[in-house]
Amino acid sequence: TINGLPGAALNITLNGIANNAQRFKSGGTSFFAFVQPRLESVQEVTIATSNLGANSAGQGAVQIQFVTKSGANAWHGEVFWQHENSALNANNWFNNARKIKRPVFIQNDQGGALGGPVIKNKLFFFVSYAHVKTPQSADFEARVLTPAAQTGVFAYVGTDQKPYTVNLLDIARQNNFPSAVNPIIGAQLQKIQSSTSAGALSSFDSIRNRLRWVAPSPVTNQFMTARFDYQVSEKLRVSVSDTYNRNVNDRGFRGTVLPGVFTKEQSVGQISNPYIANASATWTISPNKVNEFNFGIQSNQETFNIGYDRSLFQPRLLNFPLNLPSGLEVTNGLGFGITFQPRNNPIYNFADNFYYQRGNHAFSIGGNATMTVTGGPVQVNSTNSSGACSKGNPDLLADPLYDSG
């Protein structure tokens, strides 16, 4: 946070367009950029906490503003490559003690940028591209029943501090309860036991072992920026830009509740394509009067849980007690599990600002409006007046997957 303010008071912009999540600004997503600004593409960063201009007073008490580079009459460019490799790092002490291999982290960040004139003194361009490939892995942990506990034999320490064992199935039989392991649960317990060979086991308590393993969690990111500036006349300048990210989290990037066959079967991926596109015009009406207009779109076409296979969670879902993963605890349903889901919630920004200089006095008048489009409702918020309207999407509302009733 900045100055102790809540997340909803922070506003991040890129070329004047909102660049943080507008629907969840107080939900922990306010203090990061929706489209990631990169060193090779950013010309200017400004943080303002007071005396905000008319163009930003309604968006937040703190403004973090990024401006992309633009071309000029002179040519400028760069090429870069940055490499990180876990082979140069030591494993941590706990992994060494349990003979768990060092997680892999390899990152190659490479790209370049170029800017210059298309028509000197008239039309300029700037483009940049970066490709970041990270074939990394991460370590995970879970609790699993000991082989004896899986057969119903539980060990415990009595009040006399002596160790004892008891067969729960025998107690069930003596009291006329079912005394055999449910075949579905038994098969799942066997599957869990076979998966432990893909990790390292250590004792946790008298009936549970601690299972640790390393699984791949590869990520690939691409960052692209393009901007054109056109000097229409001495008094009018027009700019258009598009900053686009493509983030591919390959299957396994979130890990799974258990290793081995579960990692192979239940790993899912995610793709997001956030971008900000804008068009602006600066009109110098006279030496002491200037008007700026800006329109832009922030959007993110996301696809969650790529590779999700609902058939793996048949014939039923299971939840085990004692903080034990079953490998079948995923709940199928929107908002409750890992069903395959696409999402796109574009946000439209409009802003206009007028600046007037008279003697030693400067005046500015401006306003901005943000329109957020969700799957169903449309909300419109204006800095000059308060109000909202909503319009339901009948096709979406009729879809049983989206029925909250």
Side-chain angles (χ1 to χ4, degrees):
T1 183
I2 296 177
N3 293 344
L5 293 169
L10 306 180
N11 190 61
I12 304 172
T13 62
L14 177 65
N15 293 332
I17 304 304
N19 192 23
N20 53 348
Q22 299 296 297
R23 296 197 304 152
F24 309 107
K25 292 190 71 172
S26 293
T29 62
S30 58
F31 208 12
F32 73 88
F34 203 67
V35 173
Q36 183 176 333
R38 296 271 303 181
L39 286 175
E40 69 273 5
S41 63
V42 171
Q43 177 67 38
E44 178 183 315
V45 181
T46 303
I47 299 179
T49 60
S50 62
N51 297 322
L52 300 178
N55 63 329
S56 57
Q59 295 177 308
V62 175
Q63 297 291 317
I64 304 173
Q65 301 166 334
F66 294 89
V67 178
T68 57
K69 294 179 180 178
S70 58
N73 280 327
W75 289 89
H76 296 278
E78 64 173 311
V79 176
F80 59 88
W81 174 58
Q82 178 178 323
H83 178 74
E84 295 182 56
N85 199 314
S86 57
L88 304 175
N89 302 334
N91 202 0
N92 70 59
W93 187 91
F94 296 99
N95 282 354
N96 284 332
R98 297 180 176 92
K99 298 182 180 180
I100 300 175
K101 64 182 181 179
R102 174 181 53 208
V104 173
F105 182 85
I106 302 173
Q107 186 176 84
N108 288 288
D109 186 338
Q110 61 258 314
L114 180 66
V118 178
I119 303 173
K120 280 201 171 186
N121 300 317
K122 200 73 174 174
L123 179 61
F124 312 94
F125 81 97
F126 172 82
V127 293
S128 69
Y129 175 80
H131 184 100
V132 183
K133 193 169 182 63
T134 312
Q136 62 188 350
S137 61
D139 46 1
F140 302 91
E141 180 177 320
R143 311 283 182 263
V144 294
L145 288 175
T146 63
Q150 291 183 32
T151 65
V153 178
F154 275 40
Y156 66 98
V157 177
T159 56
D160 56 3
Q161 303 303 312
K162 293 182 180 180
Y164 296 91
T165 59
V166 60
N167 191 316
L168 301 183
L169 298 179
D170 288 343
I171 296 176
R173 185 181 305 108
Q174 294 166 9
N175 290 274
N176 297 319
F177 287 106
S179 57
V181 177
N182 180 287
I184 295 175
I185 293 178
Q188 193 66 14
L189 289 174
Q190 291 180 6
K191 186 176 180 180
I192 292 172
Q193 183 61 32
S194 67
S195 75
T196 60
S197 61
L201 285 170
S202 60
S203 178
F204 182 74
D205 58 26
S206 58
I207 61 172
R208 294 177 295 180
N209 286 328
R210 176 185 285 112
L211 176 61
R212 288 187 172 94
W213 70 96
V214 174
S217 54
V219 178
T220 302
N221 307 99
Q222 295 171 282
F223 306 95
M224 291 153 273
T225 298
R227 173 169 174 161
F228 290 88
D229 296 275
Y230 181 47
Q231 193 72 41
V232 180
S233 66
E234 291 184 357
K235 293 187 175 184
L236 181 62
R237 182 182 180 93
V238 176
S239 301
V240 294
S241 69
D242 186 19
T243 303
Y244 175 84
N245 296 170
R246 179 171 173 80
N247 308 306
V248 179
N249 298 283
D250 291 337
R251 294 186 62 174
F253 82 104
R254 284 182 174 169
T256 50
V257 295
L258 288 163
V261 64
F262 294 95
T263 298
K264 296 177 181 178
E265 289 180 350
Q266 299 181 13
S267 294
V268 296
Q270 178 176 322
I271 296 177
S272 62
N273 301 286
Y275 70 88
I276 288 180
N278 86 297
S280 63
T282 302
W283 177 29
T284 305
I285 304 170
S286 66
N288 65 335
K289 299 183 187 72
V290 177
N291 190 83
E292 292 180 349
F293 172 79
N294 197 2
F295 167 73
I297 304 172
Q298 175 210 104
S299 187
N300 185 15
Q301 298 169 339
E302 295 175 288
T303 305
F304 297 93
N305 308 309
I306 298 170
Y308 170 76
D309 185 354
R310 183 179 293 233
S311 67
L312 294 172
F313 301 93
Q314 302 297 331
R316 64 178 65 183
L317 304 174
L318 297 176
N319 287 285
F320 287 171
L322 302 174
N323 196 29
L324 296 169
S326 71
L328 290 176
E329 56 271 283
V330 175
T331 304
N332 296 315
L334 185 67
F336 297 98
I338 58 169
T339 53
F340 177 83
Q341 302 170 26
R343 182 176 74 180
N344 184 22
N345 304 118
I347 295 172
Y348 300 89
N349 256 187
F350 305 83
D352 191 83
N353 303 284
F354 176 75
Y355 304 94
Y356 175 56
Q357 182 80 32
R358 183 176 178 84
N360 295 325
H361 302 282
F363 303 89
S364 62
I365 302 172
N368 60 66
T370 302
M371 182 175 72
T372 302
V373 181
T374 62
V378 177
Q379 291 185 328
V380 180
N381 300 313
S382 172
T383 61
N384 295 327
S385 61
S386 61
C389 65
S390 63
K391 178 179 65 176
N393 184 331
D395 294 331
L396 181 61
L397 297 177
D399 191 329
L401 285 177
Y402 292 83
D403 184 5
S404 59

CSV table of all heavy atoms in Angstrom, one decimal, residues 1-11 25-28 30-31 47-50 52 57 59-64:
chain,number,residue,atom,x,y,z
A,1,THR,N,0.8,-1.2,0.0
A,1,THR,CA,0.0,0.0,0.0
A,1,THR,C,0.9,1.2,0.0
A,1,THR,O,2.1,1.2,0.2
A,1,THR,CB,-1.0,0.0,1.2
A,1,THR,OG1,-1.8,1.1,1.1
A,1,THR,CG2,-0.2,0.1,2.5
A,2,ILE,N,0.3,2.4,-0.2
A,2,ILE,CA,0.9,3.7,-0.2
A,2,ILE,C,0.2,4.6,0.8
A,2,ILE,O,-1.0,4.7,0.7
A,2,ILE,CB,1.0,4.3,-1.6
A,2,ILE,CG1,1.9,3.5,-2.5
A,2,ILE,CG2,1.6,5.7,-1.5
A,2,ILE,CD1,1.9,4.0,-3.9
A,3,ASN,N,0.9,5.2,1.7
A,3,ASN,CA,0.3,6.0,2.7
A,3,ASN,C,-0.8,5.3,3.6
A,3,ASN,O,-1.7,6.0,4.1
A,3,ASN,CB,-0.3,7.3,2.1
A,3,ASN,CG,0.8,8.2,1.5
A,3,ASN,OD1,1.9,8.1,1.8
A,3,ASN,ND2,0.3,9.1,0.7
A,4,GLY,N,-0.7,4.0,3.6
A,4,GLY,CA,-1.7,3.2,4.4
A,4,GLY,C,-3.1,3.2,3.8
A,4,GLY,O,-4.0,2.8,4.5
A,5,LEU,N,-3.2,3.6,2.6
A,5,LEU,CA,-4.5,3.6,2.0
A,5,LEU,C,-5.0,2.2,1.6
A,5,LEU,O,-4.2,1.4,1.3
A,5,LEU,CB,-4.5,4.6,0.8
A,5,LEU,CG,-4.3,6.0,1.1
A,5,LEU,CD1,-4.0,6.8,-0.2
A,5,LEU,CD2,-5.5,6.6,1.8
A,6,PRO,N,-6.3,2.0,1.5
A,6,PRO,CA,-6.8,0.7,1.1
A,6,PRO,C,-6.6,0.5,-0.4
A,6,PRO,O,-6.3,1.4,-1.2
A,6,PRO,CB,-8.3,0.8,1.4
A,6,PRO,CG,-8.6,2.2,1.4
A,6,PRO,CD,-7.4,2.9,1.9
A,7,GLY,N,-6.7,-0.8,-0.9
A,7,GLY,CA,-6.4,-1.1,-2.3
A,7,GLY,C,-7.3,-0.3,-3.2
A,7,GLY,O,-6.9,0.1,-4.3
A,8,ALA,N,-8.6,0.0,-2.9
A,8,ALA,CA,-9.5,0.7,-3.8
A,8,ALA,C,-9.0,2.1,-4.0
A,8,ALA,O,-9.5,2.7,-5.0
A,8,ALA,CB,-10.9,0.7,-3.2
A,9,ALA,N,-8.1,2.6,-3.2
A,9,ALA,CA,-7.7,4.0,-3.4
A,9,ALA,C,-6.5,4.1,-4.3
A,9,ALA,O,-6.0,5.2,-4.7
A,9,ALA,CB,-7.3,4.6,-2.0
A,10,LEU,N,-5.9,3.0,-4.8
A,10,LEU,CA,-4.8,3.0,-5.7
A,10,LEU,C,-5.3,2.8,-7.1
A,10,LEU,O,-6.1,2.0,-7.4
A,10,LEU,CB,-3.8,1.8,-5.3
A,10,LEU,CG,-3.3,1.7,-3.9
A,10,LEU,CD1,-2.4,0.5,-3.7
A,10,LEU,CD2,-2.6,3.0,-3.5
A,11,ASN,N,-4.6,3.5,-8.0
A,11,ASN,CA,-5.0,3.4,-9.4
A,11,ASN,C,-3.7,3.4,-10.3
A,11,ASN,O,-2.9,4.3,-10.1
A,11,ASN,CB,-5.9,4.6,-9.9
A,11,ASN,CG,-6.5,4.4,-11.2
A,11,ASN,OD1,-7.2,3.4,-11.5
A,11,ASN,ND2,-6.1,5.2,-12.2
A,25,LYS,N,-10.8,-4.2,-6.8
A,25,LYS,CA,-9.7,-3.3,-6.3
A,25,LYS,C,-9.4,-3.4,-4.9
A,25,LYS,O,-8.4,-3.0,-4.4
A,25,LYS,CB,-10.0,-1.9,-6.7
A,25,LYS,CG,-10.0,-1.6,-8.2
A,25,LYS,CD,-10.1,-0.1,-8.6
A,25,LYS,CE,-8.9,0.6,-8.2
A,25,LYS,NZ,-8.9,2.0,-8.7
A,26,SER,N,-10.3,-3.9,-4.1
A,26,SER,CA,-10.1,-4.1,-2.7
A,26,SER,C,-9.9,-5.6,-2.3
A,26,SER,O,-9.9,-6.0,-1.2
A,26,SER,CB,-11.3,-3.6,-1.8
A,26,SER,OG,-11.3,-2.1,-1.9
A,27,GLY,N,-9.7,-6.4,-3.3
A,27,GLY,CA,-9.6,-7.8,-3.1
A,27,GLY,C,-8.2,-8.4,-3.2
A,27,GLY,O,-8.0,-9.5,-3.5
A,28,GLY,N,-7.2,-7.5,-3.0
A,28,GLY,CA,-5.8,-8.0,-3.1
A,28,GLY,C,-5.2,-7.9,-4.4
A,28,GLY,O,-4.1,-8.3,-4.6
A,30,SER,N,-5.2,-5.0,-6.3
A,30,SER,CA,-5.1,-3.6,-6.7
A,30,SER,C,-3.7,-3.1,-6.9
A,30,SER,O,-3.4,-2.2,-7.7
A,30,SER,CB,-5.8,-2.7,-5.7
A,30,SER,OG,-5.2,-2.9,-4.4
A,31,PHE,N,-2.7,-3.8,-6.3
A,31,PHE,CA,-1.3,-3.2,-6.3
A,31,PHE,C,-0.4,-4.0,-7.3
A,31,PHE,O,0.7,-4.3,-6.9
A,31,PHE,CB,-0.8,-3.2,-4.9
A,31,PHE,CG,0.3,-2.2,-4.6
A,31,PHE,CD1,0.5,-1.1,-5.5
A,31,PHE,CD2,1.0,-2.2,-3.5
A,31,PHE,CE1,1.4,-0.2,-5.3
A,31,PHE,CE2,2.0,-1.2,-3.3
A,31,PHE,CZ,2.2,-0.2,-4.2
A,47,ILE,N,4.5,8.7,-9.7
A,47,ILE,CA,3.6,8.3,-8.5
A,47,ILE,C,3.2,9.6,-7.9
A,47,ILE,O,4.0,10.5,-7.5
A,47,ILE,CB,4.4,7.5,-7.5
A,47,ILE,CG1,4.8,6.1,-8.1
A,47,ILE,CG2,3.5,7.2,-6.3
A,47,ILE,CD1,5.6,5.2,-7.2
A,48,ALA,N,1.9,9.8,-7.9
A,48,ALA,CA,1.3,11.1,-7.3
A,48,ALA,C,0.4,10.7,-6.2
A,48,ALA,O,-0.5,9.9,-6.3
A,48,ALA,CB,0.5,11.8,-8.4
A,49,THR,N,0.5,11.4,-5.1
A,49,THR,CA,-0.3,11.1,-3.9
A,49,THR,C,-1.1,12.4,-3.4
A,49,THR,O,-1.8,12.3,-2.5
A,49,THR,CB,0.6,10.6,-2.7
A,49,THR,OG1,1.6,11.6,-2.4
A,49,THR,CG2,1.2,9.3,-3.1
A,50,SER,N,-0.8,13.5,-4.1
A,50,SER,CA,-1.5,14.7,-3.7
A,50,SER,C,-1.6,15.7,-4.9
A,50,SER,O,-0.8,15.5,-5.9
A,50,SER,CB,-0.9,15.4,-2.5
A,50,SER,OG,0.4,15.8,-2.8
A,52,LEU,N,-3.7,16.0,-7.3
A,52,LEU,CA,-3.9,15.3,-8.5
A,52,LEU,C,-4.7,16.1,-9.5
A,52,LEU,O,-5.4,17.0,-9.2
A,52,LEU,CB,-4.8,14.0,-8.2
A,52,LEU,CG,-4.2,13.0,-7.2
A,52,LEU,CD1,-5.2,11.9,-6.9
A,52,LEU,CD2,-2.9,12.5,-7.7
A,57,ALA,N,-8.6,12.6,-10.6
A,57,ALA,CA,-9.1,12.8,-9.2
A,57,ALA,C,-10.2,11.7,-8.9
A,57,ALA,O,-10.3,11.4,-7.7
A,57,ALA,CB,-9.6,14.2,-9.0
A,59,GLN,N,-10.4,8.6,-9.9
A,59,GLN,CA,-10.0,7.2,-10.1
A,59,GLN,C,-9.2,6.6,-8.9
A,59,GLN,O,-9.2,5.4,-8.7
A,59,GLN,CB,-9.0,7.0,-11.3
A,59,GLN,CG,-9.8,7.3,-12.6
A,59,GLN,CD,-8.8,7.2,-13.8
A,59,GLN,OE1,-7.8,7.9,-13.8
A,59,GLN,NE2,-9.2,6.5,-14.8
A,60,GLY,N,-8.7,7.5,-8.0
A,60,GLY,CA,-8.0,7.0,-6.8
A,60,GLY,C,-7.2,8.1,-6.2
A,60,GLY,O,-6.8,9.1,-6.8
A,61,ALA,N,-6.9,7.9,-4.9
A,61,ALA,CA,-6.2,8.9,-4.2
A,61,ALA,C,-4.7,8.9,-4.5
A,61,ALA,O,-3.9,9.8,-4.2
A,61,ALA,CB,-6.4,8.8,-2.7
A,62,VAL,N,-4.2,7.7,-5.0
A,62,VAL,CA,-2.8,7.5,-5.4
A,62,VAL,C,-2.8,7.1,-6.9
A,62,VAL,O,-3.5,6.2,-7.2
A,62,VAL,CB,-2.2,6.4,-4.5
A,62,VAL,CG1,-0.8,6.2,-5.0
A,62,VAL,CG2,-2.1,6.9,-3.1
A,63,GLN,N,-2.0,7.8,-7.6
A,63,GLN,CA,-1.9,7.5,-9.1
A,63,GLN,C,-0.5,7.0,-9.4
A,63,GLN,O,0.5,7.6,-9.0
A,63,GLN,CB,-2.2,8.7,-9.9
A,63,GLN,CG,-3.6,9.3,-9.8
A,63,GLN,CD,-4.6,8.4,-10.4
A,63,GLN,OE1,-4.4,7.9,-11.5
A,63,GLN,NE2,-5.7,8.2,-9.7
A,64,ILE,N,-0.4,5.8,-10.0
A,64,ILE,CA,0.9,5.2,-10.4
A,64,ILE,C,0.7,5.2,-11.9
A,64,ILE,O,0.0,4.4,-12.5
A,64,ILE,CB,1.1,3.9,-9.8
A,64,ILE,CG1,1.1,3.9,-8.3
A,64,ILE,CG2,2.5,3.3,-10.3
A,64,ILE,CD1,1.2,2.6,-7.6
